[in-house]
Amino acid sequence: MAQSTGDDMEPTGKTRWVIAEGYIPSGGIQGDRALESHETFCILNTGPEDARISITLFFADRGPVGPYTVTVPAERTMHLRANDLEDPEPVPRDTDYATVLESNVPVVVQHTRLDSRPESFALLSTVAYPAV
């Protein structure tokens, strides 16, 4: 398979994505990263320019937190666990939140959650809402 130089691929997606639902349970399988309860932002950048992503979290009982910032290189994908976000503060467990992701270039965002608590073991995934 030939490698792309970026010249033949138009950027795909939008620059603002919204995930209205978020929740990381504190319980679940521990000690095995693959099975630890988590939320993941799957970000695809098909374009020739790096995507600078700014993430803001919204809560029911306090003001927004952010921005968390990451870079997704050109023509790459990143599966970013919300559990790993630390700056400006760790994402709280057992707390409902919503997310807005903003990018300098069009990207595609998918949201995935693994809930590995024994009583509710579940995996869900959905494309985020493309706002702009």
Side-chain angles (χ1 to χ4, degrees):
M1 177 188 278
Q3 293 226 331
S4 172
T5 62
D7 296 335
D8 55 352
M9 177 68 76
E10 288 291 322
T12 302
K14 300 290 183 179
T15 57
R16 183 177 301 136
W17 293 83
V18 178
I19 302 167
E21 141 344 283
Y23 184 85
I24 305 171
S26 60
I29 296 172
Q30 301 296 318
D32 183 347
R33 182 162 168 84
L35 292 175
E36 176 183 312
S37 291
H38 64 270
E39 297 265 338
T40 302
F41 310 121
C42 306
I43 306 166
L44 172 62
N45 178 8
T46 63
E49 183 180 340
D50 290 354
R52 293 184 307 278
I53 310 292
S54 173
I55 302 167
T56 304
L57 304 181
F58 293 82
F59 301 91
D61 60 352
R62 64 178 173 132
V65 174
Y68 300 87
T69 58
V70 297
T71 298
V72 180
E75 298 183 315
R76 297 291 185 269
T77 187
M78 174 182 287
H79 290 209
L80 175 67
R81 286 191 181 195
N83 305 46
D84 295 338
L85 296 174
E86 296 287 333
D87 185 19
E89 66 182 61
V91 177
R93 304 312 188 255
D94 301 317
T95 303
D96 295 327
Y97 65 92
T99 308
V100 174
L101 294 94
E102 297 179 285
S103 177
N104 63 312
V105 297
V107 296
V108 175
V109 177
Q110 182 170 327
H111 168 249
T112 300
R113 173 189 298 141
L114 174 65
D115 183 343
S116 66
R117 293 174 293 178
E119 65 277 6
S120 56
F121 200 93
L123 177 69
L124 67 90
S125 188
T126 187
V127 172
Y129 176 77
V132 177

